């Protein structure tokens, strides 16, 4: 029937490049009008409706940095693990297959909050509190209260334990 394992460029991409239910058709104009600058982080997400400028399947879902901008494509620098080392690959991808990444949103928000805190501390003349992120503290302890029944006796709290395995033969 078949002729062995497929070796094409788009092999094993049936689900990867397919669009979601009710999401068919060409991309909207906002895809083409999105502003990108050199140094921006972008996510390579293949749009199966556009065959031109489609990246190889390995790069689908990867995040990279824009290093070049042309008329209809972006040069994206993506890290790729090859055997034991990580290589920085430079690929050109059309804008239909690229989205602005949200990977630096939390960092930028934190920087803005820190600058605001520094300005307030300087204005009030107080020392700056720690601006670094700290791990969450453990939850505080508490006492389990046991209710009493109608007779006045206390209910026993249920204790969960493993049931021994019995072989029924």
């Amino acid at each position: 029937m078949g002729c062995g394992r497929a070796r094409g460029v788009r092999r094993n991409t049936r689900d990867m490049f397919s669009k979601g239910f009710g999401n068919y058709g060409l991309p909207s104009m906002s895809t083409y009008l999105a502003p990108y600058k050199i140094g921006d982080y972008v996510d390579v997400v293949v749009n199966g409706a556009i065959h031109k400028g489609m990246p190889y399947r390995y790069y689908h879902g990867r995040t990279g940095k824009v290093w070049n901008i042309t008329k209809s494509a972006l040069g994206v620098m993506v890290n790729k693990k090859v055997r034991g080392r990580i290589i920085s690959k430079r690929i050109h991808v059309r804008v239909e297959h690229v989205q602005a990444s949200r990977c630096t949103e939390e960092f930028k928000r934190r920087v803005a909050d820190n600058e605001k805190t520094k300005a307030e501390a300087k204005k009030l003349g107080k020392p700056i509190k720690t601006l670094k992120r700290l791990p969450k503290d453990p939850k505080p302890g508490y006492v389990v209260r046991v209710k009493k029944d109608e007779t006045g006796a206390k209910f026993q709290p249920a204790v969960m334990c493993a049931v021994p395995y019995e072989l029924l033969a």
Side-chain angles (χ1 to χ4, degrees):
M1 281 295 230
C3 53
R5 184 169 160 77
R7 296 181 191 88
V9 175
R10 290 186 60 175
R11 66 183 176 275
N12 306 332
T13 59
R14 180 180 190 153
D15 294 328
M16 190 187 295
F17 289 175
S18 67
K19 302 184 83 166
F21 177 75
N23 191 20
Y24 301 110
L26 297 174
S28 63
M29 284 306 296
S30 61
T31 304
Y32 297 98
L33 298 174
Y36 296 105
K37 297 188 296 260
I38 291 175
D40 286 354
Y41 284 95
V42 293
D43 297 328
V44 178
V45 181
V46 174
N47 184 346
I50 308 295
H51 297 164
K52 275 189 170 185
M54 187 182 278
Y56 183 65
R57 66 189 174 96
Y58 172 84
Y59 301 104
H60 176 74
R62 306 278 169 173
T63 301
K65 204 173 191 178
V66 176
W67 65 274
N68 189 20
I69 299 173
T70 64
K71 182 168 62 77
S72 57
L74 296 176
V76 182
M77 211 173 347
V78 183
N79 288 337
K80 182 177 183 180
K81 188 174 182 186
V82 180
R83 294 186 181 154
R85 64 196 197 280
I86 295 175
I87 301 174
S88 181
K89 304 284 279 189
R90 291 179 174 223
I91 59 172
H92 278 90
V93 184
R94 280 179 78 108
V95 291
E96 295 94 324
H97 307 293
V98 162
Q99 295 174 359
S101 182
R102 299 179 60 193
C103 65
T104 55
E105 265 184 11
E106 196 271 334
F107 170 71
K108 288 178 180 176
R109 184 188 53 75
R110 208 160 31 85
V111 168
D113 289 348
N114 288 352
E115 292 301 321
K116 186 178 171 186
T117 306
K118 283 182 196 174
E120 286 177 6
K122 189 173 184 180
K123 189 170 74 173
L124 297 173
K126 293 184 179 178
I128 299 169
K129 66 174 183 71
T130 304
L131 299 176
K132 293 183 178 181
R133 292 174 291 175
L134 298 172
K136 280 185 179 177
D137 290 332
K139 291 181 181 178
Y142 58 92
V143 177
V144 177
R145 302 280 180 210
V146 182
K147 293 182 180 177
K148 295 182 180 180
D149 63 356
E150 297 84 29
T151 61
K154 288 187 175 181
F155 284 118
Q156 289 297 323
V159 179
M160 306 277 294
C161 61
V163 178
Y165 179 76
E166 294 179 14
L167 186 63
L168 301 172

